[in-house]
Amino acid sequence: MLPIIRAEILTIGDEILFGQITDTNTQWIGSQLTDIGIRPVRKTSVGDNKADILDAFAAASQRVDVIIVTGGLGPTRDDITKHTFCEYFGTELEINQEALELITAFFAKRGRAMTELNIQQAALPKNCTYIPNLWGTAPGMWFEKDNVVYVSLPGVPYEMKSLMEFEILPRLKAKFVSNIIQHKSVRTIGIGESFLAETIASWEDALPAHIKLAYLPHFGQVKLRLTGTGTDQNQLDAELAEQVALLMPYIEEWVFGYDNDELETVIGSLLVQHHATVGTAESCTGGFVANQITNVPGASQYFEGSVVSYSNEVKMNVLGVSPQTLEAFGAVSEQTAREMAEGARKVLNTTFAISTTGIAGPDGGTAEKPVGTVWIACATPGETFTQLLTLRNNRKINIELTSSYALNLLRKTILKTNLAVKG
Amino acid sequence: MLPIIRAEILTIGDEILFGQITDTNTQWIGSQLTDIGIRPVRKTSVGDNKADILDAFAAASQRVDVIIVTGGLGPTRDDITKHTFCEYFGTELEINQEALELITAFFAKRGRAMTELNIQQAALPKNCTYIPNLWGTAPGMWFEKDNVVYVSLPGVPYEMKSLMEFEILPRLKAKFVSNIIQHKSVRTIGIGESFLAETIASWEDALPAHIKLAYLPHFGQVKLRLTGTGTDQNQLDAELAEQVALLMPYIEEWVFGYDNDELETVIGSLLVQHHATVGTAESCTGGFVANQITNVPGASQYFEGSVVSYSNEVKMNVLGVSPQTLEAFGAVSEQTAREMAEGARKVLNTTFAISTTGIAGPDGGTAEKPVGTVWIACATPGETFTQLLTLRNNRKINIELTSSYALNLLRKTILKTNLAVKG
């Protein structure tokens, strides 16, 4: 094992401090650095102010090996970050010909005129290593001084991520990281974080020191991420696979996938594999389940459509739920959920249909059926399966949780339904 | 005008540095401080590490008047923030009786057993002002030393926001702010930020120095936020109203609301006011429009339901789009959008229905109809109105933009449709 390489992430811009934009960059950078074995120890945000930036550079250089700086490179306030670097390193700007050619080509390709401001984007501090930006007009920069690396990137998320992925992370790995860092994640749904931790405690306690476990919870799901550190790729892969094999018997019933699998992509693959189709009948989720399914490119292969039946009239007239059922059991009931799913399967002409009906809140709850009471169902060519959810949170969270559980009910139903598999 | 009060926001927790959770707290705190006239000048995130926290306290106390600290107060690692404060101020923890009573009541109300760890949550540094947390178990804390205020809050967003809103912001205002800060926002849709800036340039140039303008763009919308600073509330209100009145002639056609209005809440009010109802027929948006409408509590008053018709079969069988139309013009066409909206209006039995059909991407585009080609329509008791959108971005952004434009088409259609107004 090598010494720990420490990093600081520095963002520049008043709009972040004032809360006018959401900063998604630093979370992403933090996870990417962690993934290659560099440890983020601090994040700092300062405004568009030279003194504050200089102060942040100096302080960071005392505590870390790598400083990743984003923002302050746009054409309108081009000077802040670059001029500050010049002052910090005691150098000056000069036009970088390679950068100028790339910027010129960028504008030519889009048929847009170049202004003097754009030309100035090719002016870089003399001591920097130029990092070409193929995704925008502000070049990346790499500096080294007194064993500290300074990286400067534009704040536009797409440009920043592309530069990190193709240029900066490979350079950082080459310079600092000789250990191999390998991840393997197991994705679960329907088991709470603390209960999960208790369930797998004996397995977790027996993990070797070079394999770390993280619990990453999100809307009824917990992602268990194993991070192995070593020097031999094959050995590490084998060790991670072995740990997952040891883990599975404890949690098999809650596992829906691995690594970057999502419920909606897992379902998509299963449906394609079984050449089956699905539709939804949604009351309390108001179209959210359909939206989740159709967020996957290519969903039209297996998704036919949905009926969002917010009113009882639509439940009866479009889905064919019987007035007697609504009268006797109410809209939020196992019987209504069942008839909604079965009705959707018919009217949308699909192999499967899932339904949701419940009280999302904040109003509409009763003593018998409080806010968070939700019935979901999944209709198949044979049986229809139902499930009661007892949620507690606010409207938006109830809708997202219901969607996750409904997709999971569909997943489990596909797995136990006897369908032909595409040859 | 008074001197500027400067603030630093400090978050504590490895999970933020490593990118395992999304930090939404600091953006919210930044905007709240800005709103009451306190200027955030730095944000800092450090890990669960006493030396780093002490260093951050000391550095922040040299540059700002207010330090807002979140995180590190959970029961499992209770000690980090509180013990660090004790060390920093040279004091020690003692059980705060008022806090203990509140925590005991919190557990009693939920019928949960209290552990020693929970009791220790009532132990606070001797020199702090206790801030009761009615929303969770970790108390807030307020310290003052050498003219610097230190505020410590739990990291759970709901608890942090409640404590800020009801306890901390009023205390900060009372202590620091004697200027009145007043906001007035105008919400626009369908006009780009740069074109908007050119359109209102002469008005913006004439703004008095104590009224500032911010452009806050988000999914086809731009919020124009005026922030006035002064000492007389009535005068400030009158000045902001006057500026909005001067602004409106430039941008009236793009304005859909003010302040916290959203398209879906504005539409909800209009529909209630006209005792009218709405439904949707969605292809490329896959239920997203319905989901937007039903995110508003009480939407069941005016929202009947939707048909998500992803396949041509559902367009024909449920919405009654004619096979000839699909054959002659294709699913992505003005004619299909029109028939979808008219079909939805009939099958869902609503006053209005909006429809979307387009190519969200990344695949499915052709030379004639590239990715981003979308038709939307709004059917009424009389005419049906249609609109072509030419979008460019990725799938998710195309879906969100289409939804915004469809809701805006509905809004404009309601306004020009001659309906009875509820008396």
Side-chain angles (χ1 to χ4, degrees), chain A residues 145-200:
Chain A
K145 193 186 173 195
D146 301 336
N147 294 317
V148 177
V149 170
Y150 301 72
V151 173
S152 169
L153 300 171
V156 182
Y158 168 70
E159 297 180 31
M160 181 282 291
K161 287 182 184 180
S162 302
L163 275 161
M164 278 293 283
E165 185 176 345
F166 295 105
E167 295 284 349
I168 305 305
L169 291 169
R171 285 168 199 254
L172 289 173
K173 273 201 259 189
K175 183 167 177 73
F176 290 114
V177 185
S178 64
N179 281 324
I180 295 163
I181 309 280
Q182 191 73 23
H183 298 280
K184 184 77 198 167
S185 296
V186 179
R187 318 264 329 227
T188 70
I189 180 166
I191 177 169
E193 186 179 358
S194 2
F195 185 57
L196 183 56
E198 280 174 39
T199 305
I200 65 175

Side-chain angles (χ1 to χ4, degrees), chain B residues 359-370:
Chain B
I359 301 150
D363 305 315
T366 63
E368 201 198 338
K369 293 177 185 173

Side-chain angles (χ1 to χ4, degrees), chain B residues 183-391:
Chain B
H183 298 280
K184 184 75 199 170
S185 296
V186 180
R187 319 257 338 221
T188 69
I189 180 167
I191 176 169
E193 185 179 358
S194 3
F195 185 56
L196 184 56
E198 280 175 39
T199 305
I200 65 175
S202 62
W203 168 83
E204 186 177 353
D205 290 342
L207 276 177
H210 68 292
I211 298 182
K212 303 284 181 203
L213 177 69
Y215 292 78
L216 308 174
H218 184 65
F219 286 128
Q221 303 183 7
V222 180
K223 184 177 183 172
L224 291 170
R225 191 179 70 181
L226 290 167
T227 303
T229 311
T231 49
D232 181 327
Q233 178 79 56
N234 291 336
Q235 192 189 330
L236 207 51
D237 285 344
E239 286 174 331
L240 289 172
E242 187 196 341
Q243 288 304 331
V244 169
L246 290 170
L247 169 63
M248 284 304 280
Y250 295 94
I251 56 168
E252 199 133 33
E253 61 186 297
W254 299 290
V255 173
F256 70 86
Y258 300 90
D259 300 324
N260 294 319
D261 288 343
E262 299 290 346
L263 273 171
E264 51 271 28
T265 59
V266 169
I267 287 161
S269 305
L270 282 173
L271 289 167
V272 168
Q273 193 186 335
H274 291 87
H275 49 113
T277 56
V278 71
T280 75
E282 305 185 41
S283 188
C284 63
T285 47
F288 190 81
V289 185
N291 180 243
Q292 290 292 99
I293 295 175
T294 57
N295 275 341
V296 180
S300 57
Q301 277 184 82
Y302 48 82
F303 178 71
E304 294 290 310
S306 294
V307 176
V308 179
S309 56
Y310 226 56
S311 68
N312 281 351
E313 285 66 35
V314 175
K315 287 185 187 75
M316 292 185 287
N317 300 339
V318 185
L319 291 173
V321 175
S322 87
Q324 290 76 20
T325 299
L326 289 168
E327 175 69 28
F329 304 104
V332 179
S333 64
E334 180 173 18
Q335 291 80 359
T336 298
R338 175 187 295 273
E339 290 186 26
M340 284 172 66
E342 291 172 357
R345 216 188 133 254
K346 265 185 222 151
V347 72
L348 302 169
N349 191 25
T350 54
T351 324
F352 299 98
I354 44 180
S355 69
T356 65
T357 180
I359 301 150
D363 305 315
T366 63
E368 201 198 338
K369 293 177 185 173
V371 165
T373 304
V374 178
W375 278 97
I376 60 178
C378 182
T380 76
E383 287 175 88
T384 296
F385 302 93
T386 60
Q387 189 182 339
L388 171 66
L389 309 177
T390 313
L391 311 173

Side-chain angles (χ1 to χ4, degrees), chain A residues 121-301:
Chain A
Q121 293 202 279
L124 302 179
K126 281 183 173 171
N127 66 329
C128 90
T129 303
Y130 160 67
I131 310 281
N133 177 357
L134 305 178
W135 306 270
T137 54
M141 295 177 276
W142 174 291
F143 305 89
E144 296 191 21
K145 193 186 173 195
D146 301 336
N147 294 317
V148 177
V149 170
Y150 301 72
V151 173
S152 169
L153 300 171
V156 182
Y158 168 70
E159 297 180 31
M160 181 282 291
K161 287 182 184 180
S162 302
L163 275 161
M164 278 293 283
E165 185 176 345
F166 295 105
E167 295 284 349
I168 305 305
L169 291 169
R171 285 168 199 254
L172 289 173
K173 273 201 259 189
K175 183 167 177 73
F176 290 114
V177 185
S178 64
N179 281 324
I180 295 163
I181 309 280
Q182 191 73 23
H183 298 280
K184 184 77 198 167
S185 296
V186 179
R187 318 264 329 227
T188 70
I189 180 166
I191 177 169
E193 186 179 358
S194 2
F195 185 57
L196 183 56
E198 280 174 39
T199 305
I200 65 175
S202 61
W203 168 82
E204 186 176 353
D205 289 342
L207 276 177
H210 68 292
I211 298 183
K212 302 285 182 204
L213 177 69
Y215 292 80
L216 309 174
H218 184 65
F219 286 126
Q221 304 184 8
V222 180
K223 183 176 183 173
L224 291 170
R225 191 178 70 180
L226 290 166
T227 303
T229 310
T231 49
D232 181 327
Q233 178 78 57
N234 290 337
Q235 192 189 328
L236 207 50
D237 285 344
E239 285 174 332
L240 289 172
E242 187 197 342
Q243 287 304 330
V244 169
L246 289 169
L247 168 63
M248 284 304 279
Y250 295 93
I251 57 167
E252 200 135 32
E253 62 185 296
W254 298 289
V255 173
F256 70 85
Y258 300 90
D259 300 325
N260 294 319
D261 288 343
E262 299 290 347
L263 273 172
E264 52 271 27
T265 58
V266 168
I267 287 162
S269 306
L270 281 173
L271 289 168
V272 168
Q273 192 186 337
H274 290 88
H275 50 115
T277 57
V278 71
T280 76
E282 305 185 40
S283 187
C284 63
T285 47
F288 190 82
V289 185
N291 181 243
Q292 290 293 98
I293 296 175
T294 57
N295 275 341
V296 180
S300 57
Q301 278 182 85

Side-chain angles (χ1 to χ4, degrees), chain A residues 251-418:
Chain A
I251 57 167
E252 200 135 32
E253 62 185 296
W254 298 289
V255 173
F256 70 85
Y258 300 90
D259 300 325
N260 294 319
D261 288 343
E262 299 290 347
L263 273 172
E264 52 271 27
T265 58
V266 168
I267 287 162
S269 306
L270 281 173
L271 289 168
V272 168
Q273 192 186 337
H274 290 88
H275 50 115
T277 57
V278 71
T280 76
E282 305 185 40
S283 187
C284 63
T285 47
F288 190 82
V289 185
N291 181 243
Q292 290 293 98
I293 296 175
T294 57
N295 275 341
V296 180
S300 57
Q301 278 182 85
Y302 48 83
F303 178 71
E304 295 291 310
S306 294
V307 176
V308 179
S309 56
Y310 226 56
S311 69
N312 282 351
E313 286 66 35
V314 175
K315 288 185 185 77
M316 294 185 286
N317 300 340
V318 185
L319 291 173
V321 174
S322 87
Q324 290 76 21
T325 299
L326 289 168
E327 176 69 27
F329 304 104
V332 179
S333 64
E334 180 173 19
Q335 291 80 357
T336 298
R338 175 187 296 273
E339 290 186 25
M340 283 172 67
E342 291 171 357
R345 214 186 136 256
K346 265 184 222 152
V347 72
L348 302 169
N349 191 24
T350 54
T351 324
F352 299 99
I354 44 180
S355 69
T356 64
T357 180
I359 300 150
D363 304 316
T366 62
E368 202 196 339
K369 294 176 184 173
V371 166
T373 304
V374 178
W375 278 98
I376 59 178
C378 182
T380 77
E383 286 176 272
T384 296
F385 302 93
T386 60
Q387 189 181 339
L388 172 65
L389 309 178
T390 311
L391 311 173
R392 272 151 191 274
N393 308 297
N394 70 22
R395 183 179 181 86
K396 234 181 139 126
I397 296 175
N398 279 345
I399 290 172
E400 304 202 9
L401 283 172
T402 300
S403 176
S404 284
Y405 289 123
L407 291 173
N408 195 44
L409 177 61
L410 171 62
R411 184 187 66 84
K412 292 197 288 188
T413 304
I414 301 172
L415 288 173
K416 68 183 172 196
T417 303
N418 192 15

